[in-house]
Amino acid sequence: MGRAYEVRKASIQKNGMAKAKLYSTFAKEIYLAAKKGVPDPEANIVLKRLIEKAKRSQVPNDIVTRAIDKAKGAGQDEYTEVTYEGFGPGASTLIIKTLTDNVNRTVGYIRAAFNKVNKNLGVTNSVSYNYDYLGVVSFKCDNEEAVLDKLIEAEVEPIDFENEEGVLTISVNPSDENKLKDAIESLYPEVEYLFDEVGMFAKDKITLEGEDKEVFERLLALLEDVEDVSNIYHNVEL
């Protein structure tokens, strides 16, 4: 499926996010992971992995600590994961993941972004059937055969396994993500993931040109400016 190129682009896009937005998104996700399970990373593998990811993104420790402490309290704001699907210019499609404490506010902002470029939100599954829900990691690797042997030993079946210029990109079913990382880290205890995402990946990419490209980029910028938006997936080669 050629995930490596897509992963490199996604990494660049993430590095361009404003720090305040990045910190806010991680704080919400950490809060949600702690609230759904237990607010102890040693007893909550999802929380532990999320904190590791936040640290790799240089999220300050006090933001992580405050999010966990908030999850321990009662009567705090409750965040909900809500996903929206939409149609952009040409044959472009988007899936917008949000974390919100006010669904009505969020959908209003998302709809307004589409309205400003004369495009529309879709109903559930109107777009997502053209995407794969995957866990994808990318890291520097000097022995892909050893990694593959470890995955077989851990009973993890890769959906995609690609080595490009010494960077190994592996896609798996999201339910296998923790087993995948355990296998990798048994070989590379100090591994630094260049990309680490559980999300929606387009099965096929399209290219936009001219006005369609300009409109799509404007829509993307409008959506990224929405505070509640945590991730945007799309099928466009930028």
Side-chain angles (χ1 to χ4, degrees):
M1 287 185 284
R3 302 283 178 200
Y5 179 64
E6 182 174 330
V7 161
R8 286 200 301 274
K9 289 193 302 178
S11 180
I12 292 170
Q13 290 169 359
K14 280 184 175 295
N15 289 339
M17 291 175 66
K19 285 186 179 181
K21 176 71 176 290
L22 184 68
Y23 295 171
S24 174
T25 297
F26 267 113
K28 291 176 184 177
E29 290 183 342
I30 289 169
Y31 165 84
L32 200 61
K35 199 76 172 177
K36 283 182 176 179
V38 292
D40 178 4
E42 295 307 316
N44 183 337
I45 187 62
V46 174
L47 178 60
K48 181 180 180 179
R49 294 293 190 189
L50 191 52
I51 291 172
E52 291 170 353
K53 186 176 177 181
K55 289 181 177 178
R56 289 196 300 273
S57 297
Q58 299 181 331
V59 176
N61 287 332
D62 64 316
I63 289 177
V64 173
T65 301
R66 283 202 303 269
I68 294 174
D69 288 344
K70 185 176 182 180
K72 294 177 181 178
Q76 302 288 343
D77 295 335
E78 294 291 339
Y79 290 106
T80 303
E81 293 176 296
V82 185
T83 300
Y84 302 94
E85 303 179 24
F87 300 91
S92 65
T93 59
L94 304 95
I95 296 179
I96 304 104
K97 177 184 172 184
T98 68
L99 284 170
T100 179
D101 58 356
N102 187 322
V103 174
N104 290 333
R105 177 194 67 216
T106 302
V107 70
Y109 286 151
I110 300 296
R111 183 174 288 113
F114 278 86
N115 288 343
K116 285 179 181 178
V117 295
N118 296 314
K119 301 303 171 185
N120 301 305
L121 280 175
V123 298
T124 301
N125 295 327
S126 60
V127 164
S128 57
Y129 71 94
N130 278 323
Y131 289 71
D132 291 319
Y133 181 49
L134 299 170
V136 182
V137 297
S138 181
F139 59 99
K140 291 181 180 179
C141 173
D142 57 6
N143 192 340
E144 65 178 274
E145 289 187 8
V147 173
L148 190 54
D149 287 342
K150 277 292 182 182
L151 297 187
I152 293 172
E153 182 182 316
E155 298 183 343
V156 174
E157 185 174 347
I159 294 171
D160 193 35
F161 191 93
E162 182 178 0
N163 194 334
E164 188 172 329
E165 298 179 357
V167 174
L168 186 60
T169 300
I170 305 173
S171 305
V172 296
N173 186 303
S175 63
D176 285 336
E177 187 200 21
N178 288 322
K179 288 197 296 183
L180 168 65
K181 288 181 176 178
D182 286 343
I184 293 169
E185 290 161 18
S186 69
L187 283 173
Y188 300 98
E190 303 299 323
V191 64
E192 292 186 11
Y193 295 108
L194 304 176
F195 185 81
D196 178 6
E197 185 79 52
V198 173
M200 305 296 289
F201 294 83
K203 294 177 181 177
D204 298 295
K205 288 285 192 175
I206 67 166
T207 300
L208 296 177
E209 297 179 352
E211 184 179 350
D212 280 349
K213 182 179 179 182
E214 292 177 5
V215 171
F216 181 81
E217 289 176 347
R218 185 182 175 214
L219 174 58
L220 206 57
L222 288 167
L223 291 169
E224 287 175 346
D225 283 342
V226 177
E227 175 67 22
D228 298 330
V229 171
S230 60
N231 222 324
I232 303 169
Y233 308 99
H234 58 78
N235 67 338
V236 177
E237 294 281 9
L238 293 178

